[in-house]
Amino acid sequence: MRDISRWIVTHAGFQPEKPAIRFGSEVLTYAALAARIERLAAVLARDLGIGRGDRIAWLATNHPDMLALLFAAARIGAILVPLNWRLAAPEHVFILQNSGARALIGQRQFLDALAGSDLPEEVRVVALDGPGETLAGLIAAAGPPPDAAGMPGDPLLIVYTSGTTGRPKGAVLTQSAIACNAVNAIHMHDMSSADTVLTVLPMFHVGGLNIQTTPALHLGATVILHERFEAGAFLAAVRDQRPTLSVLVPATMAAAVGHADWPSTDLSCLRAIATGSMAVPLELIEAFHARGVPVIQIYGSSETAPIAIYQRPDRAFATAGAMGRPGLNTEIRLVDAAGNDVGPGIPGEVLVRGDHVATGYWNDPAETARAFADGWFRTGDVAEMDANGDYWFRDRIKNVIISGGENIYPAEAERLLRELPGVADCCVVGRPDPRWGAVPVAVVVRADATIGREEVIAHFQGRLARFKQPRDVIFVDELPKSALGKVRVEEVSRLVLEATQTPA
């Protein structure tokens, strides 16, 4: 096997003039992308002194050069570290220090925000845009490419988790993991070289990078790349450029459905929308289904590259809301607290094994030993398999509320809450209780200011076991969320404790 930059070189031989990436008015053909990868490999090796195993950090919004850099790193056996541009400077500095990055390539606005920070001395900083030394300038002056040194087993990506608790951890994904994930993605979507993928999610996350984008380039398909998500631009691209596939998370699905152009936009070009990232509200899925667009759910994480469990388009309508079934190259176990496998209808922690799973956490042997054992990755998520073999998400283990000895999965109450008119967003967390140990509390963002506590509480009567029903309701203007729209449950829990301790 060869390094994955050969994907692009091979497609350039078969279809040199086919568009690989469309980015605004720029069109990068497979031949042009292959040439840019070779020049970037030369820049990395000769100008920046990057060798096999060295780390290069990327700090920018979506840009074709991130993809070119990924394949250039693969060519020489180096490792790309994508940075979440929404993080604060101290968070970026920690990741740069933890990863031991030797170079940082990014947009000037983000690099300027790091000015005055305690950047490691060994980090060479190169801007995408001027003034000063720029990547474009280095590429223009690049010499011949170095000899290919990358191998399938080489680490290629270090993807740092969101860090909602403690310091972020860097999941290490090899070139073969990216290739294996691409095969899962192709099976999930029935993807072919005839597809056009619209990428609007940030590629610093494996969802934006690896659910459709790298698999499309593996196949020789075309990627329409947006710098960042904007609902109007997404709908305009669907209308005018006619992509066949795209990935949205619940927050971006809601923005698209709520946009003024939603009713008038012709969605018939879309073979499917993939989604995941959290328990997806059924009403968002149904909004796309009502327009004839299958919504296929994917379950995974940074540590699984991310595709582990998924639906396929032919099952989307019949199993709306399900996680799907184990991927083509994936093994799944559901286990109880003692590590014993559980059967259908019984919730258990999801364990994942496959060649797409990370080798561990960078520079963190303790966390690696805790999360990876005997080839299995412990996800910390709870799911349940039904009698038909479909998996259904229940909750994060750390979110489970133990009340009077009973396990309560907040996602159950949250699904019901989202059905209540007047609820714009919600989160259910546990609050310490002297009698029960903990009781569920609903934190609600109102779309209708007239909705009150009694109405929320009454919504659960007869629909959920009494011990699972929220005992209190706290109204807030917004919920704290991550860059991809995941609710930061730990922050919500702190908010609930503060509200409890504050005298009325």
Side-chain angles (χ1 to χ4, degrees):
M1 290 181 66
R2 302 170 293 182
D3 70 88
I4 67 169
S5 74
R6 297 298 304 177
W7 295 353
I8 309 303
V9 173
T10 302
H11 289 308
F14 278 106
Q15 46 186 16
E17 298 308 312
K18 182 174 181 177
I21 304 170
R22 296 185 182 275
F23 183 68
S25 59
E26 180 183 357
V27 178
L28 205 60
T29 65
Y30 272 95
L33 178 57
R36 195 163 187 85
I37 290 167
E38 289 211 337
R39 285 182 169 273
L40 258 175
V43 168
L44 293 177
R46 296 195 170 91
D47 294 288
L48 303 184
I50 300 297
R52 189 184 185 88
D54 288 337
R55 279 77 66 200
I56 314 128
W58 169 270
L59 180 57
T61 53
N62 288 348
H63 191 281
D65 276 342
M66 179 184 172
L67 293 167
L69 187 61
L70 174 74
F71 290 108
R75 192 183 194 284
I76 65 172
I79 305 170
L80 181 65
V81 184
L83 299 180
N84 177 348
W85 47 267
R86 294 185 176 100
L87 298 181
E91 295 172 290
H92 286 144
V93 170
F94 169 79
I95 294 172
L96 291 169
Q97 292 173 338
N98 183 263
S99 65
R102 293 194 56 189
L104 170 61
I105 299 171
Q107 287 165 325
R108 177 62 61 186
Q109 59 176 317
F110 302 125
L111 298 179
D112 287 346
L114 286 173
S117 300
D118 191 21
L119 285 177
E121 291 184 3
E122 63 273 17
V123 176
R124 172 88 170 268
V125 179
V126 178
L128 282 181
D129 41 6
E133 184 177 60
T134 65
L135 187 63
L138 291 174
I139 290 173
D147 293 337
M151 299 290 289
D154 289 342
L156 176 60
L157 277 172
I158 303 177
V159 185
Y160 279 80
T161 58
S162 58
T164 54
T165 57
R167 291 291 198 178
K169 304 183 294 291
V172 181
L173 297 169
T174 64
Q175 295 200 38
S176 59
I178 303 305
C180 181
N181 177 83
V183 176
N184 270 358
I186 291 163
H187 181 250
M188 172 185 175
H189 298 93
D190 277 334
M191 191 184 290
S192 77
S193 61
D195 276 307
T196 297
V197 163
L198 173 56
T199 297
V200 295
L201 297 186
M203 293 193 300
F204 59 68
H205 188 275
V206 288
L209 183 63
N210 288 337
I211 293 178
Q212 291 178 358
T213 309
T214 53
L217 295 173
H218 171 72
L219 279 172
T222 297
V223 175
I224 301 169
L225 185 63
H226 284 196
E227 185 178 6
R228 62 181 77 186
F229 174 79
E230 194 281 313
F234 169 81
L235 292 171
V238 171
R239 180 192 65 218
D240 299 334
Q241 296 180 285
R242 311 304 287 163
T244 56
L245 296 168
S246 193
V247 182
L248 298 175
V249 293
T252 55
M253 290 173 72
V257 171
H259 194 274
D261 292 340
W262 169 260
S264 62
T265 302
D266 178 6
L267 307 180
S268 62
C269 60
L270 292 171
R271 293 200 300 104
I273 290 289
T275 189
S277 176
M278 57 188 281
V280 183
L282 193 57
E283 63 268 21
L284 293 176
I285 296 173
E286 291 172 341
F288 280 86
H289 283 187
R291 301 290 304 276
V293 179
V295 175
I296 50 177
Q297 290 208 65
I298 168 193
Y299 168 79
S301 64
S302 298
E303 294 87 346
T304 63
I307 299 176
I309 301 174
Y310 49 81
Q311 293 173 309
R312 282 164 51 89
D314 60 351
R315 297 276 294 165
F317 293 101
T319 59
M323 293 160 62
R325 298 182 177 186
L328 190 65
N329 292 304
T330 307
E331 295 177 76
I332 298 293
R333 291 174 62 198
L334 299 183
V335 301
D336 60 20
N340 300 312
D341 291 278
V342 300
I346 302 174
E349 182 183 4
V350 182
L351 273 57
V352 183
R353 183 164 68 180
D355 289 341
H356 56 95
V357 174
T359 57
Y361 296 115
W362 182 264
N363 200 26
D364 198 338
E367 281 298 303
T368 297
R370 182 196 61 79
F372 299 85
D374 300 321
W376 293 94
F377 168 59
R378 301 183 66 93
T379 66
D381 291 330
V382 178
E384 186 177 318
M385 185 183 74
D386 66 21
N388 296 319
D390 290 303
Y391 287 72
W392 299 79
F393 180 79
R394 290 296 173 249
D395 221 317
R396 293 284 293 166
I397 287 177
K398 65 183 180 181
N399 295 346
V400 173
I401 303 165
I402 302 176
S403 182
E406 296 279 3
N407 285 354
I408 300 172
Y409 300 102
E412 287 186 278
E414 290 166 0
R415 277 191 286 269
L416 286 177
L417 261 178
R418 292 189 182 99
E419 296 175 3
L420 180 62
V423 172
D425 207 351
C426 63
C427 180
V428 175
V429 297
R431 182 173 69 191
D433 183 85
R435 180 179 180 185
W436 303 109
V439 293
V441 173
V443 181
V444 174
V445 178
R446 287 183 280 205
D448 178 357
T450 64
I451 191 173
R453 177 184 183 279
E454 292 74 19
E455 190 175 352
V456 173
I457 296 293
H459 181 66
F460 294 97
Q461 300 302 314
R463 308 182 72 193
L464 200 62
R466 285 186 60 83
F467 72 89
K468 298 179 181 181
Q469 297 178 18
R471 302 294 183 87
D472 199 3
V473 182
I474 296 173
F475 294 103
V476 296
D477 292 332
E478 63 179 356
L479 295 174
K481 294 186 177 182
S482 70
L484 286 180
K486 290 184 180 180
V487 175
R488 296 186 182 275
V489 178
E490 293 81 6
E491 293 182 29
V492 177
S493 296
R494 286 195 293 269
L495 183 155
V496 167
L497 282 176
E498 292 167 3
T500 303
Q501 295 164 359
T502 302

